[in-house]
Amino acid sequence: QEQLQESGPGLVKPSETLSLTCTVSGGSITNHYWSWIRQPPGKGLEWIGYIYYTGSTNYNPSLKSRVTISADTSKNQFSLNLRSVTAADTAVYYCARETNNWLDPWGQGTLVTVSS
Amino acid sequence: QSVLTQPPSVSGAPGQRVIISCTGSSSNIGAGYNVHWYQQLPGTAPKLLISANTNRPSGVPDRFSGSKSGTSASLAITGLQSEDEADYYCQSYDSSLSAWVFGGGTKLTVL
């Protein structure tokens, strides 16, 4: 079974860019779709977007203007960049594999706090 | 509020059966898009519980079952156990939003 691990800074200043990486082990990122999802503290889940290993992407329209997801097949990783962050972007960020439109498995998640 | 509507909380005694509903509209569940369910135990990442409306991934007990009809879907849990206490989320696709959408989540309490 594949395992996913998110990594990146836990604290980002307002107006800056949030950057996270998801490393996939136990399998290859090729031939799959890979998603980012976030969960503000005490709240529900929000889909951010996905990337196919070829680089094709699809983003949540509510975040599209600020989001870029990229993939590096040589490192078996995919990444999230979220620009111009505010306190409302404080959340636990998860990466997950998408198969036939469901998400499985998920990474353990990483908390990113936006604060000066 | 979420595009998919779930009750904020449900509860039941050990051994009982509970049902968690997920109500959508003609642009998501009613349009024929599949519904998937996730279980999130306290302090952990969500875990796939039911895929494509009714399918249980390997390792998920048969106490969990899913169904879909019209613009709604349901998750049934029978023989409630204390370890079932968790948040449960439904997920589908919305063609109006062009996005994957989640329900707001339902907190299950085992009395």
Side-chain angles (χ1 to χ4, degrees):
Chain A
Q1 173 75 332
E2 290 171 334
Q3 292 188 319
L4 286 70
Q5 178 69 59
E6 305 87 350
S7 59
L11 181 64
V12 180
K13 289 182 169 56
S15 80
E16 295 189 345
T17 297
L18 180 160
S19 295
L20 296 174
T21 295
C22 182
T23 300
V24 179
S25 59
S28 172
I29 69 168
T30 58
N31 300 318
H32 287 292
Y33 289 85
W34 303 91
S35 278
W36 286 99
I37 307 98
R38 69 180 183 178
Q39 184 173 35
K43 296 187 178 181
L45 301 166
E46 179 182 32
W47 172 72
I48 298 171
Y50 68 65
I51 186 166
Y52 192 49
Y53 78 102
T54 56
S56 172
T57 56
N58 187 24
Y59 302 133
N60 189 324
S62 69
L63 297 169
K64 188 173 183 176
S65 63
R66 299 194 290 132
V67 171
T68 301
I69 298 176
S70 58
D72 187 336
T73 54
S74 67
K75 294 182 179 179
N76 225 35
Q77 296 175 333
F78 61 104
S79 299
L80 169 70
N81 276 355
L82 181 64
R83 297 175 289 279
S84 304
V85 297
T86 69
D89 295 309
T90 293
V92 175
Y93 285 76
Y94 296 100
C95 57
R97 187 184 70 190
E98 184 176 322
T99 304
N100 294 330
N101 307 328
W102 63 78
L103 299 161
D104 179 59
W106 294 58
Q108 66 182 29
T110 187
L111 174 63
V112 179
T113 301
V114 178
S115 175
S116 55
Chain B
Q1 60 273 26
S2 303
V3 171
L4 303 179
T5 301
Q6 297 180 234
S9 64
V10 297
S11 63
Q16 284 190 333
R17 176 178 185 254
V18 295
I19 294 177
I20 298 173
S21 60
C22 175
T23 303
S25 66
S26 58
S27 62
N28 42 69
I29 298 175
Y33 295 107
N34 286 331
V35 177
H36 318 295
W37 291 91
Y38 302 88
Q39 177 192 58
Q40 186 175 34
L41 296 169
T44 69
K47 166 194 158 188
L48 180 67
L49 197 63
I50 298 287
S51 64
N53 308 316
T54 61
N55 300 304
R56 276 189 313 275
S58 173
V60 174
D62 59 7
R63 300 185 297 103
F64 296 89
S65 63
S67 63
K68 175 189 162 186
S69 178
T71 58
S72 295
S74 295
L75 172 70
I77 310 172
T78 58
L80 269 181
Q81 299 180 4
S82 59
E83 55 260 42
D84 298 333
E85 277 209 346
D87 293 325
Y88 293 84
Y89 293 90
C90 59
Q91 176 226 331
S92 187
Y93 180 78
D94 190 283
S95 58
S96 294
L97 299 174
S98 297
W100 299 112
V101 291
F102 289 94
T106 298
K107 182 175 182 61
L108 168 63
T109 300
V110 181
L111 301 171

